[in-house]
Amino acid sequence: MSQYAAPARAEDLSRLPRTYIDTGSAEGFRDEILIYAGRPSEAGVSVDFHMWGGGFHGFDMTADHAAVSRASSATREEFARRALDA
């Protein structure tokens, strides 16, 4: 199985590109996200990881006007812009 198809189940993550992972501090899946975020890093992949204080599941969509949501979206968009320019 390709690590691109299901990276959470992949054995070898070393060939993944630079990766962006974020979560809210109140996210229900936060612990799983933290565990996963460490895996590519341990495999030598550069990981941009962000934990947004007070963020909950879907906070950036349900409270898109909040400062933390705007910061989250701007940071994610900047990462994508840099990745596409590389």
Side-chain angles (χ1 to χ4, degrees):
M1 170 189 310
S2 167
Q3 73 270 25
Y4 299 107
R9 293 191 305 264
E11 299 286 328
D12 178 15
L13 299 176
S14 64
R15 296 186 328 226
L16 287 176
R18 184 175 179 184
T19 302
Y20 180 91
I21 301 172
D22 70 351
T23 187
S25 63
E27 162 68 57
F29 298 105
R30 184 197 65 213
D31 294 345
E32 290 86 352
I33 293 166
L34 288 170
I35 292 167
Y36 174 70
R39 291 189 61 224
S41 182
E42 290 168 0
V45 175
S46 177
V47 176
D48 283 32
F49 178 77
H50 301 268
M51 183 179 301
W52 301 100
F56 51 88
H57 190 76
F59 73 96
D60 54 340
M61 292 182 285
T62 58
D64 60 344
H65 59 283
V68 67
S69 298
R70 292 192 315 267
S72 168
S73 294
T75 302
R76 188 172 39 253
E77 290 168 11
E78 178 58 26
F79 176 86
R81 194 173 4 266
R82 286 192 325 261
L84 293 173
D85 285 343

